[in-house]
Amino acid sequence: MGELVDDVMALTGRHMRHILRVPEKLIGVTIAPVVMVLIFGYLFGSAMTVPGNGNYREYIMAGIFTMVMFSAIGTSAAGVADDLKNGLVDRFRSLPMSRYAVLLGRTVSDLAMTALSCVVMAAVGLLIGWRAHHGLLKTLAGFGLLLLLGFTMCWLGALIGLVVRSPEAVNTIASLMTMPFAFLSNSFVPLDGLPRWMQIMAEWNPISAVVSGCRELWGNPSTTVSDALPAQHPVLTALLTCGVLLAVVAPLSSRAYNRAAAH
Amino acid sequence: MAIEAEGLRKRYGDTEVLKGVDLSVPEGTVLGVLGPNGAGKTTTVRILATLLPPDDGRATVAGHDVVEQPMEVRRRIGLAGQYAAVDERLTGRENLTLIGRLYRLGRAGARKRAGELLERFELTHAADRETKTYSGGMRRRLDLAASLLAEPAVLFLDEPTTGLDLTSRMTLWSMVREQVDAGVTVLLTTQYLEEADHLADRIAVIDKGQVIADGTPDELKRKVGGERLEVSLADASGAAEALRMLERVSVGPAVTADDGRTLTVPVASGIGAIAEAAAVLRDRGVEVTDFAMRRPSLDDVFLSLTGQADGAETIEKQEVTA
């Protein structure tokens, strides 16, 4: 265990150096989320109303947070695919190190980056009028849900990177996934207007569960449209869906890593 | 034996990449694994380096079974793969320190060892630059240094000089030699016959997933045929007569090249045949511009063992990258 921690720390140090040396990466995790908050908050906010006269900017913040957590898929997938392509994975696998260390090093550092994004977005959110109304503990609990989602997405990204292998293809797949998962959810629009079957899909989408969970924990406007479990108990559903997904994806990624070959 | 493999088999879908590979490498020696692209060289290395389980057969490296005790094997091996596996965004020193920490040398131990290796591999001047600024030769040297961090007993080099210019190749060769002199066992795959000839104590020629010949470079050359005398004449008109005279000392059929004035005859080895051939040519007053003994090169060995098409292709590639 101590050795695993040492390995993960060494690898995390490597990823942190990347962040410092590749300005695009730092911009990706700081400026991009800020732009999203401003665009969604002002552009959509000027045209949309939340049922029950809620504040759209308060409504949308949880959606933007999850969107950024979701984008960790692409970051992790690209990083893993790059390491495969240039032979680093072969080198790591020939070392007497813990078999989980490389993927943990990757996902933990990518998670740290998404946490940084959260801090930046929360600051901008506060500036444009977003507030969490239920005290420090519940506010932090909301961020805990977001980070659980982010961690799950990092592992999913690692799996995609290991299976797809080509850094170019990885980008396409990650952005393709954004469509159904990030948009077929309650992130940006209430689900009332959707056909029933789409509503059910959107409700059970882990993204929706995390969004609703955050809204509940932060006391932001929420739009519950059904009596289904995800709508009634969003925090529980979020924990459940993310937990199950992580429990499936993490072992699959480890398996793929142990069989990984550069070509 | 530092490396011992018996009947290694590997199949990908319908393709049988390895069809029973046997290898053994005594401690402190270099085995060159020679073969065209797709022969199974890299697959063999991946199995021996614990990256890939064999479908069948068994292998021990540094005294440990690669399937049963992969961690024990990993503690004792170094691997430098086909492409220099370095992190472009880290400096040379950071790359080595990272790998050293993952080899469990400790933070300070890894840093110290990285410094030593940078110096030995003549990278100290570039140690604190990001490796994306390194030349191909520098990357390979860094990659080789990384494989030596934990002072491995067995070193796997998978086409270590592919794509390098001649100077860089020779530098890398001398660095590999140093390791061998220090007692490290090396398994080296290569497409370059010259490289195998230069570095390897023994050579295994592998083609279509099987070892089709093995021995010392000299043994392999002898297998293909003995020495030949090659004589170039100043003038093609004397060729027929010269050929007749040379046939007296030859041990097989003589050949006249397309230019009509270069004659090749197989001769018995030793100074006697050379002296006799020189004497008859001088006595008859045949004007000779070149007179040389040719031993078969590993190219000849390779061509005769793997068949013309594959061999010729390999040689072409060698020329392009050289």
Side-chain angles (χ1 to χ4, degrees), chain A residues 9 125 179 183 193 237-238 247:
Chain A
M9 295 237 307
M179 285 300 158
F183 287 104
T237 313

Side-chain angles (χ1 to χ4, degrees), chain A residues 7 14 18 21 91 93, chain B residues 51 79 87 94 104 143:
Chain A
D7 290 347
R14 165 187 176 226
H18 284 190
R21 282 177 201 163
R91 157 129 302 142
R93 288 186 57 223
Chain B
L51 298 183
L79 169 69
D87 186 329
E94 286 166 347
R104 309 263 154 77
D143 191 42

Side-chain angles (χ1 to χ4, degrees), chain A residues 9-10 14 19 28-30 32 37 51 78 127 137 161 164 166 174 212 218 224 229 233 242 251 254 263:
Chain A
M9 295 237 307
R14 165 187 176 226
I19 294 290
V29 296
T30 53
V37 172
L127 284 178
L137 223 59
V164 177
S166 135
S212 303
W218 294 340
T224 309
L229 174 77
H233 301 282
C242 287
S254 302
H263 48 139

Side-chain angles (χ1 to χ4, degrees), chain A residues 3-4 6-11 13-14 17-18 21-24 83-99 101 258-263, chain B residues 42 46 49-52 71 74-75 77-91 94-95 98-99 101-104 107 130 132 142-144 146-147:
Chain A
E3 292 185 334
L4 176 63
D6 285 348
D7 290 347
V8 171
M9 295 237 307
L11 289 162
R14 165 187 176 226
R17 288 200 168 92
H18 284 190
R21 282 177 201 163
V22 190
E24 307 92 271
D83 283 356
L84 262 182
K85 191 180 169 190
N86 60 28
L88 275 169
V89 167
D90 276 0
R91 157 129 302 142
F92 290 144
R93 288 186 57 223
S94 77
L95 301 180
M97 56 194 283
S98 162
R99 48 192 287 213
N258 284 326
R259 295 172 173 196
H263 48 139
Chain B
T42 297
R46 293 180 69 83
T50 76
L51 298 183
L52 188 71
M71 274 300 186
R74 287 173 199 158
R75 273 186 242 283
I77 62 167
L79 169 69
Q82 271 189 35
Y83 10 44
V86 297
D87 186 329
E88 293 211 319
R89 290 291 181 172
L90 298 188
T91 68
E94 286 166 347
N95 264 290
L98 171 67
I99 304 295
R101 283 184 69 187
L102 297 174
Y103 264 120
R104 309 263 154 77
R107 226 180 258 253
E130 285 182 40
K132 65 175 177 178
L142 185 66
D143 191 42
L144 184 58
S147 71

Side-chain angles (χ1 to χ4, degrees), chain A residues 117-145:
Chain A
S117 301
C118 278
V119 171
V120 175
M121 283 190 293
V124 178
L126 287 171
L127 284 178
I128 65 164
W130 165 74
R131 294 288 181 273
H133 304 280
H134 293 333
L136 184 65
L137 223 59
K138 285 196 168 176
T139 307
L140 290 179
F143 283 106
L145 274 190

Side-chain angles (χ1 to χ4, degrees), chain A residues 46-61:
Chain A
S46 66
M48 294 202 193
T49 50
V50 181
N53 268 338
N55 175 342
Y56 184 75
R57 271 183 220 146
E58 283 217 337
Y59 174 80
I60 198 162
M61 275 308 289

Side-chain angles (χ1 to χ4, degrees), chain B residues 150-173:
Chain B
E151 302 185 33
V154 176
L155 188 57
F156 293 103
L157 303 174
D158 191 10
E159 303 198 4
T161 65
T162 298
L164 290 189
D165 61 44
L166 189 63
T167 323
S168 307
R169 276 163 74 187
M170 289 173 64
T171 313
L172 212 80
W173 287 348

